């Protein structure tokens, strides 16, 4: 039963007169928590509603859609813990503070796993309670201010005009297309596959997708499938019960349970042993997993982002990867280009890493000299962005001036070998010359005057070189 009719009328009056304030619902058997909040200054910053039962709390929550809930798990009615699940279903962004006299770790873990943001044990001091509600209020106001009417977060780091998208950097057309795709699929995806060569930034894409989703305040769990020994893989991913095997002295949740309610990132998905892929498929299809040694399954609500630098379609054709799992993962694919196809972004990326390492080192590094820039521009970057990051980090450490110069770069970059060979024989000097001119032009966005100055030649010479092969 809900709170008394007089209390309900008061709730409705508050709802009309203070509509701009965040809504806080307090569900408890005795009114001590709500009374403490009403006596504190925090009550002026929220609309507070009360209910004295699980059923009443659910009915009121369905009506007012609160952004915050304080729930007493010791209510005499059955189902207080289940109410957390129902509230999260009602609104996945709702913030839930649980209060209980039960100090047992298993109860606390279960409650947090269901979606509670924090757990206070009784007796609860007024100061501690008010502080928790104040923090929830700040998060609630910040979330509403930064979100459009759809409820999907739109922080400044994801604005269309920015050359930086989350933790990714790039203003060229290839990356802008990827940013647009992430904006479209981020709010609603359940599974996604990120493909691309090693070092292209697949984990950064995964983190951006998670931040754009409606579970951005929930866990983001990273699993490097290639780093887990095959004998331990099933236990690490899906967990085990006590006594399931020799050495299993206590039960252990797997990574999927740790990610429940949020997102798991499976890097190097092609390394999962094929005999365990059926378990992963079951999670994707039925949202169920089974710990090693368990007789029953348990439900999990997890968004799955997989990444690989391998050709999963070809692996499936050869029987090395389950075909049904591949198509399940491949519903949404984000393919990242190699850095060699993003040469327009090189100056932007270089400056980004210079700023990053300069801050770490406590130094201001202005940039890269033109001759060092030339060497960087003609390199093939087989290690992609990760290689570039390492090169700039090395150069920042080695530099003893405000500018990175040739002597600060790793020695292998000063070799001419890579500029005249691409694995298919040696190039002629004419071809090397033409490619180098194209590379410099890409760096200066087609400005032939600036390119001529960098190269130490005239504009007429640039036009001649470009015309030699009808460029």
């Amino acid at each position: 039963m809900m709170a008394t009719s007089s209390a309900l009328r008061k709730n409705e009056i508050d709802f009309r007169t203070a509509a701009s304030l965040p809504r806080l619902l307090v569900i408890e058997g005795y009114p001590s928590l709500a009374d403490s909040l009403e006596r504190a200054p925090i009550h002026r910053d929220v609309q507070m509603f009360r209910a004295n039962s699980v059923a009443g709390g659910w009915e009121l929550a369905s009506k007012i859609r609160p952004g915050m809930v304080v729930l007493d798990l010791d209510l005499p009615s059955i189902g207080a813990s289940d109410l957390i699940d129902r509230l999260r279903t009602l609104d996945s962004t709702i913030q839930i503070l649980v209060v209980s006299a039960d100090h047992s770790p298993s109860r606390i873990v279960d409650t947090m796993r269901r979606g509670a943001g924090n757990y206070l044990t009784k007796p609860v001091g007024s100061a501690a309670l008010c502080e928790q509600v104040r923090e929830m209020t700040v998060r609630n106001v910040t979330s509403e201010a930064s979100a459009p009417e759809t409820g999907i977060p739109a922080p400044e780091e994801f604005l269309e005009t920015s050359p930086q998208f989350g933790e990714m950097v790039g203003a060229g057309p290839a990356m802008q297309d990827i940013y647009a795709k992430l904006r479209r699929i981020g709010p609603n995806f359940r599974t996604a596959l990120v493909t691309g060569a090693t070092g292209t930034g697949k984990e950064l894409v995964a983190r951006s997708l998670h931040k754009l989703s409606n579970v951005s305040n929930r866990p983001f769990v990273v699993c490097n499938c290639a780093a887990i020994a095959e004998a331990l893989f099933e236990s690490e991913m899906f967990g085990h019960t006590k006594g399931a095997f020799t050495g299993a002295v206590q039960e252990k949740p797997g990574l999927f349970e740790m990610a429940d309610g949020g997102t798991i990132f499976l890097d190097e998905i092609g390394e999962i042993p094929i005999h365990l892929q059926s378990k992963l498929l079951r999670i994707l299809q039925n949202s169920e997993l089974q710990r090693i040694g368990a007789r029953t399954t348990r439900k999990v609500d997890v968004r799955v982002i997989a990444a690989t630098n391998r050709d999963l379609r070809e692996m499936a054709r050869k029987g090395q990867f389950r075909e049904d799992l591949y198509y399940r993962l491949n519903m949404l694919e984000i393919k990242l280009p190699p850095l060699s196809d993003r040469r327009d972004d090189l100056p932007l990326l270089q400056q980004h890493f210079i700023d990053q390492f300069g801050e770490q080192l406590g130094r201001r590094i202005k940039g890269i000299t033109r001759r060092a820039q030339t060497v960087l521009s003609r390199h093939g970057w087989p290690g992609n962005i990760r290689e570039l990051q390492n090169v700039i980090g090395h150069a920042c450490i080695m530099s003893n001036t405000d500018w990175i110069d040739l002597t600060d770069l790793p020695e292998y970059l000063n070799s001419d070998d890579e500029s005249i060979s691409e694995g298919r024989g040696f190039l002629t000097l004419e071809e090397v010359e033409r490619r180098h001119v194209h590379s410099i032009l890409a760096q200066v966005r087609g400005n032939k005057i600036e390119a001529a100055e960098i190269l130490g030649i005239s504009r007429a010479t640039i036009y001649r070189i470009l015309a030699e092969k009808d460029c």
Side-chain angles (χ1 to χ4, degrees):
M1 186 173 176
M2 200 185 289
T4 63
S5 58
S6 60
L8 180 58
R9 278 198 300 274
K10 180 177 183 297
N11 285 338
E12 292 175 340
I13 292 170
D14 287 343
F15 181 68
R16 290 194 298 269
T17 58
S20 62
L21 295 176
R23 297 169 201 161
L24 169 67
L25 172 59
V26 181
I27 308 172
E28 60 176 339
Y30 302 97
S32 57
L33 297 176
D35 288 348
S36 294
L37 292 170
E38 276 196 337
R39 288 193 296 268
I42 187 65
H43 86 276
R44 294 192 294 266
D45 300 324
V46 298
Q47 303 172 70
M48 191 163 67
F49 302 82
R50 300 188 189 194
N52 56 14
S53 69
V54 170
W58 172 247
E59 186 176 349
L60 189 53
S62 301
K63 179 179 180 180
I64 67 170
R65 298 298 179 98
M68 304 169 288
V69 171
V70 175
L71 172 61
D72 184 355
L73 282 190
D74 302 331
L75 284 166
S77 50
I78 299 173
S81 294
D82 293 336
L83 182 58
I84 300 174
D85 298 333
R86 298 173 71 187
L87 289 168
R88 294 286 299 173
T89 302
L90 179 69
D91 182 354
S92 63
T93 66
I94 196 168
Q95 299 180 75
I96 303 173
L97 170 64
V98 166
V99 177
S100 175
D102 190 340
H103 295 233
S104 63
S106 60
R107 184 70 179 275
I108 295 173
V109 169
D110 176 68
T111 302
M112 301 292 280
R113 187 175 292 146
R114 286 173 181 265
N118 212 335
Y119 190 110
L120 295 180
T121 54
K122 295 180 181 177
V124 179
S126 176
L129 177 64
C130 291
E131 181 60 29
Q132 289 293 326
V133 172
R134 183 175 292 105
E135 289 181 8
M136 289 198 299
T137 304
V138 171
R139 288 195 295 268
N140 186 275
V141 171
T142 303
S143 174
E144 290 188 356
S146 63
E149 293 181 0
T150 59
I152 305 303
E156 186 176 342
E157 60 186 320
F158 296 116
L159 294 178
E160 293 188 22
T161 56
S162 174
Q164 186 161 349
F165 189 89
E167 298 175 60
M168 294 178 287
V169 175
M175 293 308 295
Q176 290 300 319
D177 287 345
I178 288 172
Y179 299 164
K181 191 170 188 178
L182 293 177
R183 289 189 191 96
R184 288 197 302 271
I185 70 177
N188 303 307
F189 83 97
R190 295 294 303 183
T191 60
L193 179 64
V194 187
T195 60
T198 299
T200 49
K202 296 186 286 294
E203 184 173 339
L204 301 185
V205 170
R207 291 186 181 277
S208 293
L209 277 175
H210 175 70
K211 288 183 180 179
L212 286 167
S213 74
N214 58 6
V215 295
S216 59
N217 61 334
R218 304 297 295 152
F220 178 81
V221 176
V222 177
C223 172
N224 185 347
C225 300
I228 303 176
E230 184 171 341
L232 301 175
F233 204 96
E234 188 173 6
S235 172
E236 288 293 320
M237 294 281 281
F238 311 117
H240 62 252
T241 61
K242 182 179 179 180
F245 50 83
T246 304
V249 294
Q250 60 183 11
E251 68 174 23
K252 174 189 173 184
L255 293 175
F256 271 91
E257 287 183 71
M258 293 171 64
D260 193 13
T263 305
I264 188 167
F265 173 54
L266 302 176
D267 199 10
E268 304 297 346
I269 187 74
E271 306 304 321
I272 292 184
I274 195 164
H275 67 277
L276 295 178
Q277 292 176 16
S278 59
K279 275 201 164 189
L280 176 56
L281 184 62
R282 181 171 188 167
I283 294 175
L284 296 179
Q285 290 179 333
N286 305 324
S287 299
E288 291 181 345
L289 65 78
Q290 187 171 11
R291 288 181 176 181
I292 301 174
R295 296 182 179 181
T296 59
T297 61
R298 58 182 66 202
K299 287 284 187 180
V300 289
D301 178 19
V302 182
R303 284 153 182 75
V304 178
I305 305 172
T308 183
N309 59 4
R310 303 176 68 180
D311 187 343
L312 293 186
R313 184 190 294 272
E314 181 64 17
M315 290 178 66
R317 190 185 68 80
K318 293 179 178 179
Q320 299 169 346
F321 197 86
R322 286 185 65 116
E323 190 173 22
D324 48 2
L325 177 58
Y326 166 68
Y327 286 113
R328 185 78 186 189
L329 291 170
N330 197 41
M331 184 180 298
L332 296 167
E333 181 179 2
I334 300 106
K335 188 172 184 179
L336 294 179
L339 185 54
S340 57
D341 290 348
R342 296 178 51 196
R343 292 194 175 273
D344 285 355
D345 286 333
L346 268 174
L348 195 63
L349 286 163
Q350 290 164 6
Q351 191 58 50
H352 171 73
F353 290 131
I354 287 173
D355 294 342
Q356 186 181 85
F357 286 108
E359 183 176 349
Q360 291 178 13
L361 297 170
R363 295 172 49 201
R364 169 161 168 72
I365 301 175
K366 295 179 180 178
I368 305 174
T369 63
R370 287 186 173 177
R371 57 183 182 178
Q373 186 77 263
T374 300
V375 170
L376 295 176
S377 67
R378 74 178 181 221
H379 183 57
W381 300 110
N384 295 295
I385 297 172
R386 188 176 297 144
E387 181 187 7
L388 175 63
Q389 182 180 23
N390 291 338
V391 165
I392 298 300
H394 176 280
C396 288
I397 292 172
M398 297 300 294
S399 175
N400 56 11
T401 69
D402 293 342
W403 292 87
I404 292 172
D405 204 357
L406 282 176
T407 55
D408 303 319
L409 301 177
E411 290 184 10
Y412 75 91
L413 286 179
N414 289 307
S415 169
D416 289 332
D417 293 344
E418 290 183 348
S419 68
I420 62 174
S421 175
E422 293 190 345
R424 57 180 177 84
F426 291 98
L427 304 177
T428 65
L429 286 174
E430 178 183 82
E431 180 70 6
V432 172
E433 182 181 56
R434 187 179 69 83
R435 292 190 180 202
H436 184 47
V437 169
H438 273 292
S439 177
I440 295 299
L441 282 169
Q443 302 305 305
V444 297
R445 301 187 181 279
N447 187 323
K448 294 182 176 60
I449 296 176
E450 189 174 351
E453 184 180 354
I454 292 172
L455 293 165
I457 59 178
S458 67
R459 271 192 299 164
T461 303
I462 288 182
Y463 282 111
R464 176 185 59 76
I465 293 171
L466 297 179
E468 284 176 351
K469 286 204 174 185
D470 298 321
C471 293

